[in-house]
Amino acid sequence: MENELLQEDAQIVVLILIAISVLLLMAVALVVFFFFSRKKIIATELEKKDLTISYQKELLHATIETQEEERKRIAQDLHDAISAKLNVVSLSTNVLIDGRLNHKEKEQTLQHILAVTTNTLESSRRLAHNLLPPILENFGLQAAIEELCDEFMNSKSVTIDCTIAYSNILSKSNELHIFRIIQELLNNSIRHGEAEHITILLENNDAQVDLKYMDQGKGFDTGSIDIKKGIGLRNIESRVEMLNGELIYTSEIGKGATFTINIDSVNRNDI
């Protein structure tokens, strides 16, 4: 009887030890699981942060490159349209000051100075218009986009269907971003896509501004464009990022391109 009790006690002790061992193994397994899970979560978060930093660096580089290209263009325009003409005015004025011209030659020189000055003023107005379209400042985004479309259609090489239902809920600086985005898209469609028909739809509600742009041009391979983007597309992406917006584009070779831009009008950046 005593042996049976000892055997039962031994079995109970063995079961308790086994249970404790199982519990210890489970505890160790849980610790290891949580350790590696946490490690994986941290690694994933670090990877996301690295991707975010990499994207921000790429965006900053694209923005700087875009600004540099814009500065070069402005500098070239200033040189070609204004500096060179002012040099002509200066030379002609010096000739008049010398007093070696007869009456007829003086009249011709004055007429020449007047013509060059008038041309320079027109060039400076055009340059200022390119920097900040007066119609955008004075009459709003809808009028500016309609004028832009008319300018492109005057070439007789493209037709543009432009539908705008926009109620001026963005700041002027952000409206300028949208104007430049559409301008860049039109340039790309005609210059690279050789599009003959383009559709633009801009609308908004109280919370969001939506821009949809479609052309029937040559299209492009979205796979390769993601690897090597031109300055035009990077410029568009930079401006959408400044607007805290979302850009989605789809295209196929020979089937045109579609760009959809959604801007949260509540959480936008007023840059």
Side-chain angles (χ1 to χ4, degrees), residues 30-89:
L30 283 171
V31 169
V32 171
F33 172 77
F34 282 117
F35 173 77
F36 282 105
S37 295
R38 182 61 181 167
K39 189 175 180 182
K40 188 174 181 181
I41 291 170
I42 292 172
T44 303
E45 290 297 322
L46 287 173
E47 186 178 353
K48 286 181 180 177
K49 287 181 180 178
D50 287 340
L51 287 172
T52 301
I53 292 170
S54 177
Y55 174 74
Q56 288 174 343
K57 285 181 178 178
E58 181 183 345
L59 184 65
L60 178 61
H61 177 76
T63 302
I64 292 171
E65 189 175 349
T66 300
Q67 289 173 343
E68 287 303 314
E69 287 294 324
E70 191 71 8
R71 288 190 185 103
K72 287 178 184 177
R73 184 188 64 78
I74 293 169
Q76 188 64 45
D77 287 347
L78 285 171
H79 178 270
D80 294 344
I82 297 177
S83 295
K85 292 182 176 65
L86 289 178
N87 283 333
V88 171
V89 172

Tab-separated table of all heavy atoms in Angstrom, residues 30-89:
chain	number	residue	atom	x	y	z
A	30	LEU	N	7.340	31.878	-26.340
A	30	LEU	CA	6.657	33.166	-26.458
A	30	LEU	C	7.641	34.324	-26.432
A	30	LEU	O	7.514	35.281	-27.215
A	30	LEU	CB	5.650	33.331	-25.315
A	30	LEU	CG	4.342	32.546	-25.450
A	30	LEU	CD1	3.546	32.633	-24.165
A	30	LEU	CD2	3.522	33.064	-26.625
A	31	VAL	N	8.642	34.239	-25.544
A	31	VAL	CA	9.660	35.293	-25.476
A	31	VAL	C	10.417	35.387	-26.796
A	31	VAL	O	10.628	36.489	-27.340
A	31	VAL	CB	10.636	35.027	-24.306
A	31	VAL	CG1	11.837	35.971	-24.400
A	31	VAL	CG2	9.936	35.199	-22.975
A	32	VAL	N	10.826	34.205	-27.321
A	32	VAL	CA	11.551	34.191	-28.603
A	32	VAL	C	10.672	34.723	-29.716
A	32	VAL	O	11.118	35.507	-30.565
A	32	VAL	CB	12.027	32.753	-28.925
A	32	VAL	CG1	12.590	32.688	-30.346
A	32	VAL	CG2	13.070	32.304	-27.917
A	33	PHE	N	9.385	34.303	-29.706
A	33	PHE	CA	8.455	34.764	-30.744
A	33	PHE	C	8.289	36.282	-30.708
A	33	PHE	O	8.383	36.960	-31.738
A	33	PHE	CB	7.100	34.077	-30.552
A	33	PHE	CG	6.021	34.619	-31.448
A	33	PHE	CD1	5.975	34.265	-32.792
A	33	PHE	CD2	5.054	35.486	-30.950
A	33	PHE	CE1	4.985	34.768	-33.616
A	33	PHE	CE2	4.072	35.990	-31.776
A	33	PHE	CZ	4.032	35.626	-33.106
A	34	PHE	N	8.043	36.804	-29.488
A	34	PHE	CA	7.872	38.252	-29.366
A	34	PHE	C	9.156	39.001	-29.701
A	34	PHE	O	9.122	40.080	-30.289
A	34	PHE	CB	7.396	38.620	-27.953
A	34	PHE	CG	5.943	38.378	-27.723
A	34	PHE	CD1	5.521	37.454	-26.786
A	34	PHE	CD2	4.981	39.048	-28.470
A	34	PHE	CE1	4.170	37.219	-26.582
A	34	PHE	CE2	3.628	38.824	-28.274
A	34	PHE	CZ	3.215	37.898	-27.331
A	35	PHE	N	10.297	38.406	-29.357
A	35	PHE	CA	11.588	39.051	-29.663
A	35	PHE	C	11.780	39.188	-31.166
A	35	PHE	O	12.078	40.284	-31.673
A	35	PHE	CB	12.734	38.241	-29.061
A	35	PHE	CG	14.093	38.739	-29.454
A	35	PHE	CD1	14.639	39.874	-28.858
A	35	PHE	CD2	14.832	38.074	-30.433
A	35	PHE	CE1	15.891	40.341	-29.248
A	35	PHE	CE2	16.080	38.537	-30.814
A	35	PHE	CZ	16.609	39.668	-30.218
A	36	PHE	N	11.578	38.065	-31.868
A	36	PHE	CA	11.791	38.110	-33.319
A	36	PHE	C	10.686	38.905	-34.028
A	36	PHE	O	10.944	39.561	-35.034
A	36	PHE	CB	11.880	36.691	-33.888
A	36	PHE	CG	13.204	36.035	-33.647
A	36	PHE	CD1	13.345	35.055	-32.689
A	36	PHE	CD2	14.331	36.439	-34.357
A	36	PHE	CE1	14.578	34.459	-32.462
A	36	PHE	CE2	15.564	35.839	-34.133
A	36	PHE	CZ	15.694	34.847	-33.169
A	37	SER	N	9.454	38.840	-33.454
A	37	SER	CA	8.372	39.636	-34.047
A	37	SER	C	8.665	41.123	-33.897
A	37	SER	O	8.508	41.908	-34.844
A	37	SER	CB	7.037	39.309	-33.377
A	37	SER	OG	6.661	37.993	-33.629
A	38	ARG	N	9.106	41.479	-32.697
A	38	ARG	CA	9.443	42.885	-32.461
A	38	ARG	C	10.597	43.318	-33.344
A	38	ARG	O	10.605	44.428	-33.897
A	38	ARG	CB	9.805	43.070	-30.979
A	38	ARG	CG	10.120	44.508	-30.587
A	38	ARG	CD	8.931	45.403	-30.815
A	38	ARG	NE	9.225	46.780	-30.465
A	38	ARG	CZ	8.473	47.799	-30.785
A	38	ARG	NH1	7.366	47.601	-31.479
A	38	ARG	NH2	8.809	49.030	-30.426
A	39	LYS	N	11.578	42.423	-33.473
A	39	LYS	CA	12.734	42.721	-34.318
A	39	LYS	C	12.304	42.927	-35.766
A	39	LYS	O	12.778	43.837	-36.447
A	39	LYS	CB	13.741	41.576	-34.219
A	39	LYS	CG	15.083	41.867	-34.872
A	39	LYS	CD	16.057	40.732	-34.624
A	39	LYS	CE	17.402	41.036	-35.279
A	39	LYS	NZ	18.357	39.918	-35.078
A	40	LYS	N	11.376	42.076	-36.213
A	40	LYS	CA	10.880	42.186	-37.584
A	40	LYS	C	10.093	43.482	-37.768
A	40	LYS	O	10.218	44.167	-38.791
A	40	LYS	CB	10.001	40.986	-37.920
A	40	LYS	CG	9.596	40.921	-39.381
A	40	LYS	CD	8.850	39.642	-39.688
A	40	LYS	CE	8.473	39.579	-41.158
A	40	LYS	NZ	7.721	38.341	-41.481
A	41	ILE	N	9.268	43.827	-36.761
A	41	ILE	CA	8.482	45.070	-36.828
A	41	ILE	C	9.412	46.275	-36.892
A	41	ILE	O	9.220	47.203	-37.691
A	41	ILE	CB	7.534	45.178	-35.622
A	41	ILE	CG1	6.428	44.130	-35.731
A	41	ILE	CG2	6.929	46.581	-35.533
A	41	ILE	CD1	5.588	43.980	-34.483
A	42	ILE	N	10.454	46.256	-36.031
A	42	ILE	CA	11.417	47.364	-36.022
A	42	ILE	C	12.127	47.466	-37.364
A	42	ILE	O	12.315	48.562	-37.910
A	42	ILE	CB	12.435	47.177	-34.870
A	42	ILE	CG1	11.731	47.352	-33.524
A	42	ILE	CG2	13.585	48.168	-35.002
A	42	ILE	CD1	12.589	46.996	-32.330
A	43	ALA	N	12.526	46.275	-37.905
A	43	ALA	CA	13.212	46.267	-39.210
A	43	ALA	C	12.306	46.823	-40.301
A	43	ALA	O	12.750	47.590	-41.167
A	43	ALA	CB	13.647	44.849	-39.558
A	44	THR	N	11.015	46.450	-40.243
A	44	THR	CA	10.052	46.954	-41.233
A	44	THR	C	9.879	48.465	-41.108
A	44	THR	O	9.831	49.187	-42.106
A	44	THR	CB	8.692	46.258	-41.056
A	44	THR	OG1	8.870	44.843	-41.165
A	44	THR	CG2	7.705	46.724	-42.109
A	45	GLU	N	9.768	48.946	-39.857
A	45	GLU	CA	9.626	50.385	-39.632
A	45	GLU	C	10.852	51.144	-40.115
A	45	GLU	O	10.730	52.216	-40.722
A	45	GLU	CB	9.400	50.661	-38.138
A	45	GLU	CG	8.052	50.211	-37.620
A	45	GLU	CD	6.899	50.940	-38.283
A	45	GLU	OE1	7.039	52.149	-38.544
A	45	GLU	OE2	5.870	50.296	-38.564
A	46	LEU	N	12.035	50.578	-39.831
A	46	LEU	CA	13.268	51.223	-40.295
A	46	LEU	C	13.329	51.256	-41.816
A	46	LEU	O	13.759	52.256	-42.412
A	46	LEU	CB	14.491	50.474	-39.743
A	46	LEU	CG	14.765	50.657	-38.247
A	46	LEU	CD1	15.886	49.735	-37.796
A	46	LEU	CD2	15.129	52.101	-37.930
A	47	GLU	N	12.861	50.157	-42.438
A	47	GLU	CA	12.845	50.111	-43.902
A	47	GLU	C	11.901	51.163	-44.470
A	47	GLU	O	12.214	51.839	-45.447
A	47	GLU	CB	12.426	48.716	-44.367
A	47	GLU	CG	12.514	48.527	-45.874
A	47	GLU	CD	12.134	47.126	-46.306
A	47	GLU	OE1	11.930	46.259	-45.437
A	47	GLU	OE2	12.039	46.897	-47.525
A	48	LYS	N	10.722	51.314	-43.807
A	48	LYS	CA	9.775	52.329	-44.244
A	48	LYS	C	10.369	53.723	-44.104
A	48	LYS	O	10.218	54.576	-44.986
A	48	LYS	CB	8.485	52.233	-43.425
A	48	LYS	CG	7.592	51.052	-43.788
A	48	LYS	CD	6.341	51.058	-42.936
A	48	LYS	CE	5.435	49.876	-43.284
A	48	LYS	NZ	4.228	49.841	-42.405
A	49	LYS	N	11.046	53.958	-42.967
A	49	LYS	CA	11.663	55.263	-42.747
A	49	LYS	C	12.759	55.530	-43.763
A	49	LYS	O	12.903	56.646	-44.269
A	49	LYS	CB	12.221	55.346	-41.323
A	49	LYS	CG	11.145	55.483	-40.263
A	49	LYS	CD	11.732	55.593	-38.873
A	49	LYS	CE	10.631	55.733	-37.822
A	49	LYS	NZ	11.196	55.788	-36.448
A	50	ASP	N	13.543	54.477	-44.073
A	50	ASP	CA	14.597	54.634	-45.087
A	50	ASP	C	13.996	54.972	-46.440
A	50	ASP	O	14.526	55.823	-47.169
A	50	ASP	CB	15.431	53.344	-45.196
A	50	ASP	CG	16.347	53.146	-43.996
A	50	ASP	OD1	16.621	54.140	-43.289
A	50	ASP	OD2	16.778	52.007	-43.767
A	51	LEU	N	12.880	54.293	-46.782
A	51	LEU	CA	12.212	54.576	-48.058
A	51	LEU	C	11.659	55.992	-48.069
A	51	LEU	O	11.743	56.695	-49.088
A	51	LEU	CB	11.084	53.568	-48.294
A	51	LEU	CG	11.507	52.140	-48.659
A	51	LEU	CD1	10.301	51.217	-48.671
A	51	LEU	CD2	12.207	52.108	-50.018
A	52	THR	N	11.089	56.416	-46.919
A	52	THR	CA	10.547	57.777	-46.821
A	52	THR	C	11.654	58.809	-46.980
A	52	THR	O	11.511	59.795	-47.720
A	52	THR	CB	9.854	57.979	-45.463
A	52	THR	OG1	8.801	57.024	-45.339
A	52	THR	CG2	9.271	59.391	-45.360
A	53	ILE	N	12.783	58.571	-46.291
A	53	ILE	CA	13.923	59.492	-46.396
A	53	ILE	C	14.460	59.520	-47.811
A	53	ILE	O	14.771	60.580	-48.356
A	53	ILE	CB	15.031	59.088	-45.397
A	53	ILE	CG1	14.550	59.321	-43.956
A	53	ILE	CG2	16.313	59.870	-45.656
A	53	ILE	CD1	15.456	58.740	-42.901
A	54	SER	N	14.549	58.324	-48.428
A	54	SER	CA	15.047	58.242	-49.803
A	54	SER	C	14.129	58.999	-50.759
A	54	SER	O	14.590	59.730	-51.644
A	54	SER	CB	15.153	56.775	-50.219
A	54	SER	OG	15.556	56.664	-51.565
A	55	TYR	N	12.805	58.838	-50.550
A	55	TYR	CA	11.845	59.532	-51.409
A	55	TYR	C	11.931	61.035	-51.206
A	55	TYR	O	11.888	61.808	-52.159
A	55	TYR	CB	10.429	59.039	-51.106
A	55	TYR	CG	9.357	59.805	-51.852
A	55	TYR	CD1	9.161	59.614	-53.222
A	55	TYR	CD2	8.538	60.717	-51.194
A	55	TYR	CE1	8.191	60.311	-53.914
A	55	TYR	CE2	7.573	61.422	-51.874
A	55	TYR	CZ	7.396	61.214	-53.229
A	55	TYR	OH	6.442	61.906	-53.912
A	56	GLN	N	12.072	61.451	-49.938
A	56	GLN	CA	12.173	62.880	-49.652
A	56	GLN	C	13.437	63.476	-50.265
A	56	GLN	O	13.419	64.595	-50.774
A	56	GLN	CB	12.150	63.111	-48.140
A	56	GLN	CG	10.780	62.882	-47.518
A	56	GLN	CD	10.797	62.979	-46.010
A	56	GLN	OE1	11.859	62.904	-45.384
A	56	GLN	NE2	9.632	63.127	-45.407
A	57	LYS	N	14.536	62.709	-50.223
A	57	LYS	CA	15.778	63.174	-50.845
A	57	LYS	C	15.607	63.304	-52.354
A	57	LYS	O	16.050	64.274	-52.967
A	57	LYS	CB	16.920	62.202	-50.533
A	57	LYS	CG	17.452	62.299	-49.114
A	57	LYS	CD	18.600	61.317	-48.897
A	57	LYS	CE	19.163	61.447	-47.490
A	57	LYS	NZ	20.247	60.461	-47.248
A	58	GLU	N	14.950	62.293	-52.944
A	58	GLU	CA	14.713	62.333	-54.395
A	58	GLU	C	13.814	63.509	-54.755
A	58	GLU	O	14.052	64.206	-55.738
A	58	GLU	CB	14.064	61.019	-54.836
A	58	GLU	CG	13.802	60.944	-56.340
A	58	GLU	CD	13.086	59.682	-56.754
A	58	GLU	OE1	13.032	58.725	-55.952
A	58	GLU	OE2	12.573	59.634	-57.894
A	59	LEU	N	12.791	63.731	-53.918
A	59	LEU	CA	11.869	64.842	-54.167
A	59	LEU	C	12.590	66.177	-54.034
A	59	LEU	O	12.406	67.085	-54.855
A	59	LEU	CB	10.706	64.772	-53.176
A	59	LEU	CG	9.600	65.811	-53.349
A	59	LEU	CD1	8.883	65.617	-54.675
A	59	LEU	CD2	8.602	65.704	-52.201
A	60	LEU	N	13.436	66.299	-52.995
A	60	LEU	CA	14.199	67.528	-52.797
A	60	LEU	C	15.141	67.767	-53.970
A	60	LEU	O	15.260	68.891	-54.481
A	60	LEU	CB	14.991	67.450	-51.489
A	60	LEU	CG	15.882	68.654	-51.154
A	60	LEU	CD1	15.039	69.920	-51.021
A	60	LEU	CD2	16.668	68.394	-49.884
A	61	HIS	N	15.789	66.683	-54.420
A	61	HIS	CA	16.696	66.799	-55.567
A	61	HIS	C	15.937	67.241	-56.814
A	61	HIS	O	16.397	68.108	-57.569
A	61	HIS	CB	17.376	65.452	-55.820
A	61	HIS	CG	18.278	65.447	-57.018
A	61	HIS	ND1	19.525	66.031	-57.015
A	61	HIS	CD2	18.107	64.947	-58.271
A	61	HIS	CE1	20.094	65.882	-58.204
A	61	HIS	NE2	19.246	65.235	-58.979
A	62	ALA	N	14.747	66.637	-57.009
A	62	ALA	CA	13.931	67.000	-58.175
A	62	ALA	C	13.476	68.451	-58.089
A	62	ALA	O	13.475	69.176	-59.093
A	62	ALA	CB	12.716	66.077	-58.266
A	63	THR	N	13.113	68.889	-56.880
A	63	THR	CA	12.666	70.272	-56.700
A	63	THR	C	13.796	71.250	-56.989
A	63	THR	O	13.614	72.256	-57.691
A	63	THR	CB	12.158	70.488	-55.260
A	63	THR	OG1	11.097	69.558	-54.998
A	63	THR	CG2	11.645	71.901	-55.068
A	64	ILE	N	14.985	70.936	-56.453
A	64	ILE	CA	16.152	71.793	-56.689
A	64	ILE	C	16.508	71.819	-58.170
A	64	ILE	O	16.786	72.881	-58.737
A	64	ILE	CB	17.356	71.311	-55.853
A	64	ILE	CG1	17.072	71.534	-54.356
A	64	ILE	CG2	18.628	72.043	-56.252
A	64	ILE	CD1	18.091	70.890	-53.441
A	65	GLU	N	16.467	70.649	-58.797
A	65	GLU	CA	16.784	70.575	-60.230
A	65	GLU	C	15.783	71.374	-61.049
A	65	GLU	O	16.164	72.085	-61.992
A	65	GLU	CB	16.794	69.107	-60.683
A	65	GLU	CG	17.323	68.909	-62.092
A	65	GLU	CD	17.433	67.455	-62.484
A	65	GLU	OE1	17.291	66.583	-61.600
A	65	GLU	OE2	17.659	67.189	-63.671
A	66	THR	N	14.507	71.258	-60.669
A	66	THR	CA	13.466	72.022	-61.358
A	66	THR	C	13.692	73.520	-61.199
A	66	THR	O	13.576	74.291	-62.160
A	66	THR	CB	12.084	71.648	-60.799
A	66	THR	OG1	11.854	70.252	-60.989
A	66	THR	CG2	10.981	72.433	-61.495
A	67	GLN	N	14.027	73.928	-59.973
A	67	GLN	CA	14.284	75.349	-59.719
A	67	GLN	C	15.480	75.841	-60.517
A	67	GLN	O	15.469	76.956	-61.057
A	67	GLN	CB	14.514	75.568	-58.221
A	67	GLN	CG	13.256	75.422	-57.386
A	67	GLN	CD	13.546	75.487	-55.896
A	67	GLN	OE1	14.686	75.334	-55.467
A	67	GLN	NE2	12.510	75.713	-55.105
A	68	GLU	N	16.527	75.010	-60.586
A	68	GLU	CA	17.722	75.402	-61.342
A	68	GLU	C	17.415	75.540	-62.829
A	68	GLU	O	17.885	76.472	-63.493
A	68	GLU	CB	18.845	74.378	-61.131
A	68	GLU	CG	19.488	74.436	-59.766
A	68	GLU	CD	20.057	75.807	-59.457
A	68	GLU	OE1	20.734	76.384	-60.329
A	68	GLU	OE2	19.814	76.320	-58.346
A	69	GLU	N	16.616	74.606	-63.347
A	69	GLU	CA	16.218	74.684	-64.757
A	69	GLU	C	15.399	75.947	-65.009
A	69	GLU	O	15.555	76.623	-66.030
A	69	GLU	CB	15.409	73.438	-65.146
A	69	GLU	CG	16.216	72.171	-65.273
A	69	GLU	CD	17.199	72.233	-66.431
A	69	GLU	OE1	16.871	72.826	-67.471
A	69	GLU	OE2	18.322	71.685	-66.289
A	70	GLU	N	14.527	76.259	-64.044
A	70	GLU	CA	13.691	77.456	-64.179
A	70	GLU	C	14.557	78.712	-64.140
A	70	GLU	O	14.350	79.657	-64.908
A	70	GLU	CB	12.656	77.479	-63.051
A	70	GLU	CG	11.558	78.517	-63.218
A	70	GLU	CD	10.583	78.188	-64.328
A	70	GLU	OE1	10.649	77.072	-64.879
A	70	GLU	OE2	9.766	79.053	-64.674
A	71	ARG	N	15.559	78.724	-63.245
A	71	ARG	CA	16.467	79.874	-63.153
A	71	ARG	C	17.254	80.045	-64.458
A	71	ARG	O	17.443	81.164	-64.938
A	71	ARG	CB	17.428	79.690	-61.980
A	71	ARG	CG	16.769	79.859	-60.614
A	71	ARG	CD	17.818	79.914	-59.521
A	71	ARG	NE	17.209	79.964	-58.202
A	71	ARG	CZ	17.131	78.927	-57.372
A	71	ARG	NH1	17.629	77.766	-57.746
A	71	ARG	NH2	16.568	79.054	-56.190
A	72	LYS	N	17.722	78.929	-65.009
A	72	LYS	CA	18.472	78.993	-66.267
A	72	LYS	C	17.609	79.556	-67.392
A	72	LYS	O	18.053	80.366	-68.200
A	72	LYS	CB	18.973	77.594	-66.652
A	72	LYS	CG	20.121	77.086	-65.789
A	72	LYS	CD	20.522	75.686	-66.216
A	72	LYS	CE	21.602	75.111	-65.302
A	72	LYS	NZ	21.936	73.714	-65.669
A	73	ARG	N	16.344	79.089	-67.409
A	73	ARG	CA	15.436	79.564	-68.464
A	73	ARG	C	15.178	81.056	-68.313
A	73	ARG	O	15.189	81.807	-69.291
A	73	ARG	CB	14.117	78.791	-68.395
A	73	ARG	CG	13.134	79.144	-69.515
A	73	ARG	CD	11.783	78.505	-69.293
A	73	ARG	NE	11.132	78.998	-68.097
A	73	ARG	CZ	10.508	80.168	-68.028
A	73	ARG	NH1	10.473	80.961	-69.089
A	73	ARG	NH2	9.925	80.552	-66.929
A	74	ILE	N	14.947	81.493	-67.065
A	74	ILE	CA	14.690	82.916	-66.820
A	74	ILE	C	15.918	83.741	-67.186
A	74	ILE	O	15.809	84.811	-67.816
A	74	ILE	CB	14.296	83.148	-65.349
A	74	ILE	CG1	12.934	82.505	-65.069
A	74	ILE	CG2	14.237	84.643	-65.030
A	74	ILE	CD1	12.573	82.453	-63.603
A	75	ALA	N	17.098	83.240	-66.785
A	75	ALA	CA	18.338	83.953	-67.099
A	75	ALA	C	18.538	84.070	-68.609
A	75	ALA	O	18.930	85.133	-69.116
A	75	ALA	CB	19.532	83.248	-66.464
A	76	GLN	N	18.238	82.978	-69.324
A	76	GLN	CA	18.381	83.007	-70.775
A	76	GLN	C	17.386	83.971	-71.402
A	76	GLN	O	17.720	84.736	-72.320
A	76	GLN	CB	18.181	81.595	-71.341
A	76	GLN	CG	18.496	81.454	-72.824
A	76	GLN	CD	19.952	81.718	-73.121
A	76	GLN	OE1	20.831	81.236	-72.421
A	76	GLN	NE2	20.232	82.491	-74.162
A	77	ASP	N	16.145	83.945	-70.881
A	77	ASP	CA	15.126	84.868	-71.387
A	77	ASP	C	15.507	86.318	-71.130
A	77	ASP	O	15.326	87.190	-71.988
A	77	ASP	CB	13.769	84.564	-70.739
A	77	ASP	CG	13.133	83.294	-71.274
A	77	ASP	OD1	13.617	82.802	-72.307
A	77	ASP	OD2	12.179	82.796	-70.654
A	78	LEU	N	16.038	86.576	-69.942
A	78	LEU	CA	16.467	87.941	-69.616
A	78	LEU	C	17.588	88.397	-70.540
A	78	LEU	O	17.613	89.541	-71.005
A	78	LEU	CB	16.939	88.011	-68.154
A	78	LEU	CG	15.843	87.998	-67.080
A	78	LEU	CD1	16.457	87.838	-65.705
A	78	LEU	CD2	15.016	89.278	-67.146
A	79	HIS	N	18.505	87.480	-70.811
A	79	HIS	CA	19.628	87.826	-71.691
A	79	HIS	C	19.150	88.079	-73.110
A	79	HIS	O	19.515	89.077	-73.744
A	79	HIS	CB	20.666	86.707	-71.666
A	79	HIS	CG	21.831	86.964	-72.581
A	79	HIS	ND1	21.845	86.556	-73.908
A	79	HIS	CD2	23.006	87.607	-72.386
A	79	HIS	CE1	22.979	86.929	-74.470
A	79	HIS	NE2	23.706	87.550	-73.571
A	80	ASP	N	18.326	87.142	-73.609
A	80	ASP	CA	17.899	87.227	-75.013
A	80	ASP	C	16.884	88.345	-75.235
A	80	ASP	O	16.947	89.065	-76.238
A	80	ASP	CB	17.286	85.893	-75.457
A	80	ASP	CG	18.314	84.773	-75.473
A	80	ASP	OD1	19.524	85.079	-75.448
A	80	ASP	OD2	17.909	83.600	-75.479
A	81	ALA	N	15.929	88.460	-74.304
A	81	ALA	CA	14.800	89.358	-74.538
A	81	ALA	C	15.034	90.777	-74.037
A	81	ALA	O	14.428	91.710	-74.541
A	81	ALA	CB	13.539	88.788	-73.862
A	82	ILE	N	15.908	90.954	-73.058
A	82	ILE	CA	16.055	92.281	-72.457
A	82	ILE	C	17.478	92.815	-72.549
A	82	ILE	O	17.712	93.907	-73.078
A	82	ILE	CB	15.581	92.247	-70.984
A	82	ILE	CG1	14.077	91.910	-70.949
A	82	ILE	CG2	15.835	93.582	-70.302
A	82	ILE	CD1	13.495	91.774	-69.574
A	83	SER	N	18.456	92.047	-72.029
A	83	SER	CA	19.836	92.554	-71.983
A	83	SER	C	20.357	92.929	-73.365
A	83	SER	O	20.922	94.018	-73.556
A	83	SER	CB	20.750	91.501	-71.350
A	83	SER	OG	20.406	91.289	-70.007
A	84	ALA	N	20.176	92.032	-74.323
A	84	ALA	CA	20.689	92.296	-75.670
A	84	ALA	C	20.047	93.540	-76.272
A	84	ALA	O	20.727	94.370	-76.906
A	84	ALA	CB	20.432	91.084	-76.560
A	85	LYS	N	18.745	93.699	-76.060
A	85	LYS	CA	18.034	94.856	-76.623
A	85	LYS	C	18.444	96.156	-75.927
A	85	LYS	O	18.554	97.209	-76.566
A	85	LYS	CB	16.527	94.635	-76.522
A	85	LYS	CG	16.014	93.507	-77.432
A	85	LYS	CD	14.518	93.359	-77.319
A	85	LYS	CE	13.999	92.319	-78.301
A	85	LYS	NZ	14.478	90.965	-78.005
A	86	LEU	N	18.666	96.081	-74.621
A	86	LEU	CA	19.111	97.273	-73.904
A	86	LEU	C	20.513	97.693	-74.345
A	86	LEU	O	20.840	98.884	-74.356
A	86	LEU	CB	19.091	97.024	-72.390
A	86	LEU	CG	17.696	96.925	-71.758
A	86	LEU	CD1	17.809	96.631	-70.275
A	86	LEU	CD2	16.913	98.214	-71.976
A	87	ASN	N	21.332	96.724	-74.706
A	87	ASN	CA	22.661	97.047	-75.259
A	87	ASN	C	22.522	97.832	-76.564
A	87	ASN	O	23.280	98.777	-76.817
A	87	ASN	CB	23.471	95.768	-75.502
A	87	ASN	CG	24.034	95.194	-74.215
A	87	ASN	OD1	24.270	95.926	-73.255
A	87	ASN	ND2	24.246	93.898	-74.194
A	88	VAL	N	21.556	97.426	-77.381
A	88	VAL	CA	21.318	98.138	-78.652
A	88	VAL	C	20.879	99.574	-78.369
A	88	VAL	O	21.339	100.528	-79.019
A	88	VAL	CB	20.247	97.401	-79.494
A	88	VAL	CG1	19.845	98.235	-80.700
A	88	VAL	CG2	20.766	96.044	-79.934
A	89	VAL	N	19.971	99.730	-77.383
A	89	VAL	CA	19.513	101.066	-77.001
A	89	VAL	C	20.685	101.914	-76.515
A	89	VAL	O	20.827	103.095	-76.867
A	89	VAL	CB	18.419	100.977	-75.915
A	89	VAL	CG1	18.078	102.373	-75.373
A	89	VAL	CG2	17.169	100.316	-76.476
